[in-house]
Amino acid sequence: PEGSLKKSNFDYRAFSNLDFYCYDPVYDLAGLATELELASIKANLPANPAARQLKKEYETLTGEAVSEERWLLYSWVSYLARNHNPAQEKQSSEMTRGLARSFQAYYASVYFADLEPTVNGTLCALDVDGVLETGKFGFPALSPASASALRSLIRHGYRPVLVTGRSLAEVRERCYNYRLSGGVAEYGGVIYNHRTGETHELLNESERASLQELRHVLGTMEGVCLDSDYRVAVRAYHLRPSGRRHGLSSEEVKAALDKSGTAGLIRSIPGYNQTDFMVVGVDKGTGLREMLAAFEPEARTGEQSPVAFAVGDTEADLPMLRMAARAWAPGHSAAAMKNEPVRVTRQAYQAGLKQATAELLGHQPGHCAICRVGPYPDETQQLFGLLEVMDSSKAGKARHALLQLLRLARSAKYNR
């Protein structure tokens, strides 16, 4: 009643192997933190600091340190428990966003805690989806390969920035957790300076009106959902019975553009799980140039590019890649990079980013005195070993994951 949180009761029975419960009180705290985080996501608010504060208060009161791995895994189970639908296995967008935030916070605490955003380093432009993060676990997350690449770039004085189709809010979250100085969001529609907190939209009034009209038409089409996070670009999708997103058909795209009167003014951008829309003439390249004007007003306009390094994996990344002195694409995007001055790595996805970073630095990320990490506790090493399945080839993935799970199971802290 006085506004504080109190535990109202306790569970009085034993647990079934079909339950999402256990005897560890830290799991109860992780569940409460999950509820707080889901509430902030539904309200389109930033990450709730009270969610992390619960863990700190518990450690203070009990004198027991709660490892980041224990907190992360309990949070993961808590999200699954609150969104579990045995009939449909539906995964809500709030759950996906919450899990992404949990993993970002984990890497921030364990892998990037000693870093500060680079202020004066040479810019490196990185796409997010398919390059820095993938959704192999059902939500976007770094892998050990991309985390080590990002950390090594920062440690060696480079200034990585995100250039992505994701929303401004998602770029802001990643800049905070990954210790980045800024980013280009929503396909060049808005830039973000994390050091100052300033944002700048590139669209004029007429272009904003065109997108708003298209947004209205899409909102009236049967089965079409709109992502409310997007304030400049438009992200539209359908939901499958399983709860997963998929993009619009070409017929739906044409009908929406024709009905809104925006054909020729707005282009569609097909994605992995959605269809995005942005005005013609604004792309990742124009956004990156605007960022250069803001971050590097004295940048030279001669032959040497102020963007030292860029990695992208789709046609939407080409305007960004063409601006870089060294442009790379992960192996899975070879078809999109045909006839382009872009080097394609042998490895795909995040492992491809790590390979490209190694070429830039002259050594494997994390393998020199400047960018080396650790040593880490056993729990951290075991979880990283499990997460490395994201970077493995198809052969041996299952065996690798099983071995890591067995190692985690042997840890006494997980046998409560």
Side-chain angles (χ1 to χ4, degrees), residues 39 152 227 313:
S152 295
D227 194 320
D313 70 329

Side-chain angles (χ1 to χ4, degrees), residues 28-41:
D28 293 345
L29 285 180
L32 178 54
T34 296
E35 294 289 353
L36 294 172
E37 200 63 78
L38 284 172
S40 69
I41 292 170

Side-chain angles (χ1 to χ4, degrees), residues 53-351:
Q53 191 64 27
L54 284 169
K55 175 178 176 292
K56 295 178 182 177
E57 292 293 341
Y58 178 84
E59 291 176 321
T60 300
L61 289 169
T62 64
E64 175 192 358
V66 178
S67 73
E68 292 295 336
E69 291 72 35
R70 184 174 164 198
W71 186 257
L72 174 68
L73 293 175
Y74 278 152
S75 299
W76 197 346
V77 174
S78 296
Y79 278 108
L80 293 174
R82 281 154 181 76
N83 292 270
H84 186 58
N85 186 330
Q88 296 183 337
E89 297 183 359
K90 183 175 181 179
Q91 179 168 301
S92 71
S93 58
E94 290 86 3
M95 172 185 172
T96 301
R97 184 75 173 275
L99 284 166
R101 284 184 176 183
S102 293
F103 267 72
Q104 290 170 31
Y106 173 75
Y107 277 106
S109 297
V110 173
Y111 212 73
F112 303 129
D114 62 330
L115 300 181
E116 293 291 337
T118 308
V119 177
N120 299 313
T122 306
L123 284 175
C124 297
L126 303 178
D127 183 29
V128 175
D129 293 286
V131 175
L132 197 61
E133 299 176 353
T134 61
K136 292 182 179 180
F137 287 159
F139 52 89
L142 293 174
S143 73
S146 60
S148 66
L150 189 58
R151 176 185 169 82
S152 295
L153 288 171
I154 296 172
R155 289 289 295 166
H156 281 276
Y158 290 96
R159 187 166 18 145
V161 294
L162 304 179
V163 184
T164 177
R166 287 198 170 267
S167 69
L168 173 62
E170 292 174 293
V171 167
R172 186 182 285 114
E173 289 172 358
R174 285 161 173 79
C175 286
Y176 174 79
N177 287 305
Y178 300 162
R179 309 299 193 261
L180 305 178
S181 59
V184 176
E186 303 189 28
Y187 295 99
V190 58
I191 64 171
Y192 170 63
N193 187 328
H194 184 60
R195 184 174 59 84
T196 64
E198 296 175 335
T199 62
H200 175 60
E201 294 185 14
L202 274 64
L203 277 60
N204 59 38
E205 186 175 345
S206 174
E207 292 169 333
R208 285 194 291 269
S210 295
L211 280 167
Q212 185 58 35
E213 181 61 30
L214 175 64
R215 187 179 284 110
H216 171 73
V217 169
L218 287 168
T220 64
M221 295 175 64
E222 184 177 358
V224 175
C225 304
L226 299 176
D227 194 320
S228 59
D229 263 349
Y230 282 72
R231 54 184 274 183
V232 180
V234 177
R235 171 159 289 189
Y237 58 91
H238 289 287
L239 277 177
R240 300 184 189 276
S242 64
R244 293 192 178 276
R245 296 182 178 188
H246 68 95
L248 278 57
S249 67
S250 57
E251 292 78 14
E252 288 176 311
V253 170
K254 184 178 185 305
L257 292 173
D258 289 343
K259 187 174 181 179
S260 63
T262 57
L265 300 175
I266 294 176
R267 74 186 196 280
S268 64
I269 308 166
Y272 292 114
N273 302 303
Q274 75 286 320
T275 302
D276 297 318
F277 297 89
M278 176 46 66
V279 296
V280 174
V282 175
D283 54 37
K284 291 186 177 183
T286 57
L288 185 55
R289 277 190 288 273
E290 186 69 21
M291 172 171 279
L292 285 170
F295 281 14
E296 303 276 357
E298 74 286 353
R300 287 170 291 181
T301 58
E303 294 183 1
Q304 185 175 359
S305 171
V307 181
F309 178 68
V311 186
D313 70 329
T314 66
E315 291 183 7
D317 294 314
L318 290 175
M320 166 191 78
L321 294 172
R322 290 168 183 155
M323 293 177 59
R326 298 186 183 187
W328 289 82
H332 66 275
S333 57
M337 302 301 154
K338 190 176 181 181
N339 301 321
E340 292 290 337
V342 177
R343 294 185 63 180
V344 179
T345 65
R346 182 173 53 84
Q347 301 288 339
Y349 299 104
Q350 292 136 308

